[in-house]
């Protein structure tokens, strides 16, 4: 798969490293060409060290070039820069599968009326899937993210079957389990979950302990 990444920071590096090891071709983009090139070099080194199936080097380009390059494009920039970045990426994003990993964090930053993912969809005309937004960047550096014997589950919110299928592949490439979280209209709930849980983690609470295990979560529709 060809993956264009809008952004050259921690999430681009962490997720991109895992996808490079899985054999995908990547192009990284950013406002700073030097940083984008350095991130691309890191991803190339990771692929070669892992003897990735295709051994393709990662490259660096502009936002517009990364948008045109990818079979899927990952929006991995600060939330406050997302609008400007996807506009800079241009018309290549229209109709394309997009994965939004951003979070609006900080007091008053989260908008309960509309998700960042829906905003990106409206600006680009792309098929957006919200994913990878519930964990700290260092979790995505784990190979794989497994806790107490359970692979990390990654919720996906989106409307387009093709885009969701590509997102599921990228989740499993990390050793994680994709979980259908509903349509893109539910992305605002996924973003709200991140905003709430991040606040608990920052306060030192074990946010994972907030919810009971599945057998204790009440009756389910598929049960007799």
């Amino acid at each position: 798969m060809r993956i264009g990444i809008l952004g050259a920071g921690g999430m681009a590096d962490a997720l991109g490293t895992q996808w490079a090891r899985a054999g995908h071709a990547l192009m990284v983009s950013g406002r700073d060409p030097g940083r984008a090139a350095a991130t691309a070099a890191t991803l190339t080194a990771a692929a070669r060290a892992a003897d990735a199936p295709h051994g393709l080097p990662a490259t660096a380009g502009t936002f517009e070039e990364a948008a045109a390059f990818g079979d899927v494009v990952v929006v991995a920039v600060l939330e406050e820069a997302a609008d400007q970045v996807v506009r800079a990426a241009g018309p290549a994003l229209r109709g394309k599968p997009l994965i939004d990993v951003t979070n609006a964090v900080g007091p008053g930053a989260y908008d309960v009326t509309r998700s960042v993912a829906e905003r990106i969809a409206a600006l680009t005309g792309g098929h957006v899937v919200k994913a990878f937004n519930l964990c700290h960047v260092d979790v995505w550096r784990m190979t794989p993210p497994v806790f107490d014997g359970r692979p990390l589950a990654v919720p996906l919110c989106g409307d387009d079957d093709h885009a969701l299928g590509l997102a599921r592949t990228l989740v499993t490439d990390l050793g994680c389990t994709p979980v259908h979280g509903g349509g893109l209209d539910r992305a605002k709930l996924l973003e709200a979950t991140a905003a709430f849980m991040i606040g608990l983690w920052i306060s030192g609470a074990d946010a994972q302990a907030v919810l009971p295990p599945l057998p204790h979560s009440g009756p389910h529709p598929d049960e007799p």
Side-chain angles (χ1 to χ4, degrees):
M1 193 186 309
R2 291 160 62 99
I3 305 171
I5 303 181
L6 307 182
M11 287 292 281
D13 175 72
L15 292 170
T17 293
Q18 304 290 16
W19 294 329
R21 288 171 176 161
H24 299 296
L26 295 102
M27 180 180 285
V28 180
S29 59
R31 287 195 179 92
D32 181 345
R35 186 177 187 186
T39 300
T42 298
L43 305 188
T44 297
R48 289 174 176 164
D51 195 21
H54 304 295
L56 297 173
T59 56
T62 65
F63 292 129
E64 188 175 15
E65 289 168 338
F69 172 85
D71 300 315
V72 60
V73 176
V74 179
V75 183
V77 296
L78 295 176
E79 179 274 332
E80 58 263 32
D83 291 12
Q84 184 180 3
V85 167
V86 297
R87 286 191 179 104
L93 295 180
R94 181 166 298 279
K96 182 163 285 191
L98 308 179
I99 297 178
D100 169 31
V101 308
T102 65
N103 278 318
V105 295
Y110 176 69
D111 181 359
V112 297
T113 65
R114 193 182 192 193
S115 70
V116 181
E118 289 174 304
R119 201 172 77 216
I120 291 172
L123 286 170
T124 63
H127 300 301
V128 178
V129 177
K130 188 76 184 191
F132 302 108
N133 70 311
L134 290 184
C135 296
H136 189 272
V137 63
D138 287 343
V139 172
W140 306 121
R141 300 186 193 280
M142 298 174 66
T143 52
V146 174
F147 302 93
D148 295 327
R150 294 186 303 169
L152 182 71
V154 180
L156 309 175
C157 292
D159 296 325
D160 184 78
D161 288 341
H162 177 59
L164 286 165
L166 295 179
R168 283 192 291 269
T169 295
L170 295 180
V171 169
T172 56
D173 282 342
L174 270 64
C176 300
T177 303
V179 176
H180 182 54
L184 194 63
D185 61 320
R186 290 178 64 83
K188 63 175 67 69
L189 302 180
L190 186 52
E191 292 176 9
T193 300
F196 185 75
M197 291 301 186
I198 288 169
L200 293 181
W201 283 317
I202 289 173
S203 72
D206 181 2
Q208 192 177 39
V210 170
L211 300 175
L214 182 63
H216 301 280
S217 61
H220 303 103
D222 57 347
E223 293 180 344

